[in-house]
Amino acid sequence: MTTTGLAEPFLRAQLETLGLAVEYVRAEGDTLYRRGEDGREIPVLDLVGGFGATILGHHHPEVTSLAQELLAAQVPVHAQFSLHPYAETVARRLNDILRRETGDPGPYLAVFANSGAEAVEAAVKHAELDRGLKAAALLERIGESIERARRAARDGAPLSPAAQRLADGGDFEALAAAVTAVNRARAEEPPVLLALSGSFHGKLIGSVQLTHNPAVREPFRALAAPCRFVPAEDPETLAAAIAEERRTVLGLALCGGAVDLVEHQLPRLCALLLEPVQGEGGVRPLTAGYAREVQRICAEADCPIVVDEVQSGMGRTGTFLASSAIGLRGDYYVLAKSLGGGIAKAAVTLVHHGRHRPEFELLHSSTFAKDAFSTLIAARTLDLLEADGGALYRRAAERGERILKQLSGVRDDFKDVVVDVRGRGLMLGLELRDQSDSPSPVLRELSRAGVLGYAAAGHLLNAHALRVFPTASAVTTLRIEPSVGITDARIDQAEAALRALCEVLRAQDGERLLGR
């Protein structure tokens, strides 16, 4: 199929093939409106929700009203290198929320950004700055120890047997040169980044290295530091990976009257990144038991934890942070998507004061981040979430329980079609069975091409006015992420549409799935 579009023509052709080439002209609540052939608006129930960006729904009236007021008031967007009191307000409110949910008094210092991927990269950049400064301080102390040992050697202190072996029979200066060479080589090794299998942390040059999906990551693997992936819910493998990646450097000390070698742990672990609920990996929540082990292992290794709450945070799972429900504390938290109230491009990296490096404030910046418009929208969004003692968090949990119950009914009635339903709150997934061995040539080919979930989404859109998408790295899992405002009637509508989809798949009717 050809297309005349100049903007992303390949993507447009794929959307047309799968029945997803739709232009939406208006949005409100959980509804997107497309234009029909007769010019009338056709409402579509949106369960994609901007991949988690619309916890308050499309164009929440209070957020929209504030945005209009701010634009009318001509609040500055570009006022870099000046004071930003509205950003300070957001940072204080986020600290209050984190203190309540985690019990950690903090404080967390805020680095603002425009997107989740950018905020992830800011977290990794900061963690690497912290690691590098610690390594440099260690090497400086080792340099001082070498000078002390040199003075001792001049005063007649012999070299220990181990020191003699490293010096290869030479004198103290040969030993010092060998120690320096070993340390330089080990210090120049790249930092170690860890993430979980199935992770998704963005698609920028740095963040794409932290995204597990090989199709997304590998074309760009030469551009930035690689990441080591470990399976979720497997603390033993995490501990083994950390142990394997550890390195030591050498110092010198006077021991028993002789100059001897001393080993020091080299700070090499940059960070472990994880999502408390893996979004693009198939909507898979981590367990509290695993979180406890991660916390213990990383604390012992002094490996900072970056908690990516871009999709799971902002109340979507029934608590402000999905990680707080499983007892996971981060050295860094990353928030985005719904932080902008579904309108503004807003994101933030929160850095625990115990790791914060003031130098970072001059080493990192972003043109559009921290402006008055986005931070005032973020502040209003936090106000709405926190109102009435967190009523919206409770509603997210209640709405999620209702949807999960109905999805579980679909699974139970169509076990030949649905593998599983899972998730927390309003971050849910329905996993379809693979159809690679289907008697239907259409279903067989769709499944083998990895687009069955997208074809299912196209069918739901065109036959039932329901908008869902599969998760990016688990393409048979349909994501369901509505706003807290979703009604019983819309939930019932979604259930009916999903049941109808399952009937089509049970009948192995590939032609009908594609609307032919």
Side-chain angles (χ1 to χ4, degrees):
M1 180 178 292
T2 60
T3 176
T4 58
L6 297 179
E8 299 181 316
F10 178 77
L11 176 60
R12 178 169 178 168
Q14 296 299 307
L15 292 175
E16 289 172 350
T17 300
L18 297 167
L20 295 169
V22 172
E23 177 191 0
Y24 294 102
V25 296
R26 191 164 65 87
E28 180 183 18
D30 285 296
T31 304
L32 283 165
Y33 294 87
R34 57 188 292 192
R35 187 79 68 189
E37 293 182 0
D38 59 359
R40 291 186 299 117
E41 290 183 342
I42 301 172
V44 174
L45 172 55
D46 179 25
L47 297 186
V48 178
F51 303 115
T54 58
I55 187 64
L56 300 176
H58 293 282
H59 291 296
H60 186 282
E62 287 196 40
V63 177
T64 301
S65 176
L66 175 60
Q68 292 170 338
E69 292 173 10
L70 295 174
L71 292 174
Q74 298 180 321
V75 297
V77 173
H78 299 290
Q80 297 88 344
F81 221 71
S82 64
L83 298 180
H84 296 273
Y86 309 120
E88 290 292 332
T89 297
V90 172
R92 284 195 297 271
R93 291 181 185 176
L94 287 171
N95 267 277
D96 290 342
I97 295 170
L98 264 64
R99 193 176 301 115
R100 182 190 71 225
E101 289 211 349
T102 69
D104 189 333
Y108 284 81
L109 288 300
V111 180
F112 285 86
N114 306 286
S115 70
E118 184 185 339
V120 165
E121 295 210 1
V124 172
K125 279 181 66 178
H126 188 284
E128 174 57 12
L129 176 65
D130 183 44
R131 186 200 70 84
L133 291 174
K134 287 179 178 176
L138 172 61
L139 293 175
E140 183 177 350
R141 292 195 299 273
I142 287 174
E144 294 169 355
S145 78
I146 292 174
E147 285 302 314
R148 289 193 296 271
R150 178 176 281 111
R151 290 194 293 270
R154 288 171 180 167
D155 291 339
L159 304 185
S160 73
Q164 288 176 358
R165 285 193 296 272
L166 185 62
D168 197 22
D171 59 7
F172 178 86
E173 293 307 324
L175 172 65
V179 166
T180 301
V182 167
N183 290 350
R184 181 182 299 114
R186 294 178 182 176
E188 288 177 354
E189 289 187 55
V192 175
L193 288 160
L194 297 163
L196 303 186
S197 300
S199 64
F200 183 94
H201 297 291
K203 292 182 178 179
L204 300 179
I205 285 177
S207 57
V208 76
Q209 313 300 328
L210 311 169
T211 292
H212 184 238
N213 187 339
V216 172
R217 170 173 45 87
E218 289 188 354
F220 312 102
R221 63 185 180 274
L223 292 178
C227 178
R228 179 167 180 169
F229 296 95
V230 295
E233 301 299 328
D234 186 351
E236 291 80 11
T237 299
L238 172 62
I242 287 177
E244 184 178 321
E245 297 291 354
R246 283 183 171 178
R247 297 290 186 274
T248 58
V249 286
L250 301 175
L252 297 177
L254 198 62
C255 301
V259 174
D260 202 359
L261 300 173
V262 180
E263 287 191 331
H264 301 273
Q265 286 289 334
L266 175 69
R268 187 162 179 258
L269 298 167
C270 180
L272 166 69
L273 292 94
L274 51 76
E275 305 154 90
V277 181
Q278 287 193 329
E280 305 309 321
V283 192
R284 298 182 183 277
L286 301 181
T287 64
Y290 180 64
R292 284 194 298 273
E293 287 299 290
V294 166
Q295 203 88 58
R296 178 186 63 80
I297 293 166
C298 288
E300 291 175 356
D302 191 30
C303 177
I305 299 173
V306 178
V307 181
D308 183 342
E309 294 268 9
V310 169
Q311 193 166 169
S312 61
M314 299 297 298
R316 178 159 292 281
T317 64
T319 49
F320 183 81
L321 297 172
S323 53
S324 67
I326 57 174
L328 178 65
R329 288 188 184 179
D331 299 279
Y332 300 82
Y333 290 96
V334 180
L335 294 164
K337 292 190 182 291
S338 284
L339 181 63
I343 291 179
K345 296 175 177 65
V348 67
T349 301
L350 298 169
V351 185
H352 194 275
H353 76 96
R355 292 193 180 271
H356 182 251
R357 294 286 184 168
E359 302 95 322
F360 192 74
E361 296 174 25
L362 296 178
L363 294 174
H364 180 84
S365 62
S366 178
T367 298
F368 285 89
K370 202 166 62 173
D371 65 285
F373 179 81
S374 67
T375 53
L376 283 165
I377 293 291
R380 180 61 57 87
T381 300
L382 293 174
D383 287 345
L384 292 168
L385 291 174
E386 290 283 299
D388 300 323
L392 287 186
Y393 306 140
R394 297 189 293 275
R395 179 171 174 82
E398 182 274 324
R399 293 284 82 187
E401 288 175 5
R402 180 182 174 91
I403 298 171
L404 185 60
K405 181 179 180 181
Q406 295 188 220
L407 292 179
S408 298
V410 174
R411 176 200 59 203
D412 293 344
D413 292 343
F414 293 92
K415 291 183 179 179
D416 54 329
V417 174
V418 178
V419 176
D420 192 19
V421 296
R422 55 183 173 263
R424 290 202 351 239
L426 294 173
M427 189 174 178
L428 302 168
L430 181 146
E431 183 180 355
L432 300 172
R433 289 197 181 279
D434 180 75
Q435 299 288 335
S436 295
D437 297 323
S438 169
S440 163
V442 173
L443 294 183
R444 191 165 61 244
E445 180 58 29
L446 288 170
S447 199
R448 292 177 180 178
V451 295
L452 177 66
Y454 291 97
H459 175 81
L460 289 168
L461 174 62
N462 293 289
H464 301 283
L466 175 68
R467 186 172 190 253
V468 299
F469 281 134
T471 57
S473 300
V475 292
T476 56
T477 298
L478 302 179
R479 78 173 78 232
I480 297 171
E481 298 188 28
S483 79
V484 291
I486 191 166
T487 64
D488 289 350
R490 307 309 294 277
I491 294 173
D492 293 344
Q493 176 188 343
E495 180 191 9
L498 290 169
R499 285 182 174 275
L501 168 67
C502 289
E503 292 284 5
V504 171
L505 293 174
R506 173 175 283 174
Q508 296 291 287
D509 194 343
E511 297 292 333
R512 185 179 171 195
L513 182 73
L514 293 179
R516 296 173 181 170

